[in-house]
Amino acid sequence: MNSRKVVYLFFSTLLVGSLSGAIVGFIIDFDVYTGGDITNMVVGLIWLLGISAAFSLVSQMGFFAYLTLHRFGLGLFKSARLWNRIQVVLIAFVIFDLIYLRYIAFATEGETILHYTIMPVLLLAYGLVIAYLKAKDTNQGAFIPALFFIVVVTTIEWVPALTVNDPKWLWMYFAPLISANTWQLLTLHKLTNQPNTKARA
């Protein structure tokens, strides 16, 4: 992949993450940004775009870190099948953590573990859809790595908001991360022109 394509991936991901985060943030605090004059709205939108851009940069670092980890895993275990099985175990572990550990840490009176199950299950379902699209565009070997990236890497990037457990920041952080991660995952193979590379992330 030449430098022009790298630059395109960087700035397009930055744009996708910034816009998605700004839109979600604006909807969450709609009354705040529309309650004053036009200056208040403009400054608010600039702030939303800036902070969402920062989150999308976290996404990009996570993406290239996973590409390195993926290659390392393939080299270490000498088998894409074994490496995929390990990734499946890690996916299950992360989903369990998102449910149980957050329930233990943040559950209030009247809340059940079901309240903390919905979000991880939706993330897993979304990951399955994106992994299917990735495998369809490339090959079946890309399914598990794509699912791992969407579920596990996104969750790791999301940790700062998860530990705060503020609904506003959960969504403001999540929107640019998941949109940027999805964009990178579904765009990379188109830029490298290698749709049939085995077990490509």
Side-chain angles (χ1 to χ4, degrees), residues 7-26:
V7 170
Y8 169 78
L9 183 62
F10 173 81
F11 283 105
S12 62
T13 302
L14 193 66
L15 179 63
V16 168
S18 299
L19 290 178
S20 61
I23 291 171
V24 170
F26 187 80

Side-chain angles (χ1 to χ4, degrees), residues 95-165:
I95 292 297
F96 173 80
D97 279 355
L98 275 177
I99 297 171
Y100 185 71
L101 294 184
R102 293 190 69 243
Y103 170 70
I104 294 298
F106 301 115
T108 58
E109 186 176 353
E111 286 187 323
T112 67
I113 198 169
L114 181 62
H115 291 86
Y116 294 86
T117 302
I118 297 173
M119 182 177 64
V121 169
L122 289 177
L123 177 60
L124 178 61
Y126 179 81
L128 289 169
V129 172
I130 299 304
Y132 168 78
L133 294 176
K134 179 70 173 183
K136 182 180 178 182
D137 285 348
T138 55
N139 61 84
Q140 291 303 312
F143 184 87
I144 296 302
L147 180 61
F148 181 91
F149 176 69
I150 290 295
V151 174
V152 176
V153 177
T154 299
T155 299
I156 292 172
E157 295 167 346
W158 200 17
V159 163
L162 290 171
T163 54
V164 174
N165 200 43

Side-chain angles (χ1 to χ4, degrees), residues 63-123:
F63 182 62
F64 286 102
Y66 175 68
L67 291 179
T68 302
L69 173 65
H70 182 58
R71 291 303 171 192
F72 177 78
L74 289 174
L76 178 64
F77 297 105
K78 308 297 183 182
S79 168
R81 180 174 297 181
L82 177 58
W83 174 229
N84 282 344
R85 289 176 179 173
I86 292 172
Q87 290 183 96
V88 169
V89 172
L90 292 174
I91 291 168
F93 181 75
V94 166
I95 292 297
F96 173 80
D97 279 355
L98 275 177
I99 297 171
Y100 185 71
L101 294 184
R102 293 190 69 243
Y103 170 70
I104 294 298
F106 301 115
T108 58
E109 186 176 353
E111 286 187 323
T112 67
I113 198 169
L114 181 62
H115 291 86
Y116 294 86
T117 302
I118 297 173
M119 182 177 64
V121 169
L122 289 177
L123 177 60

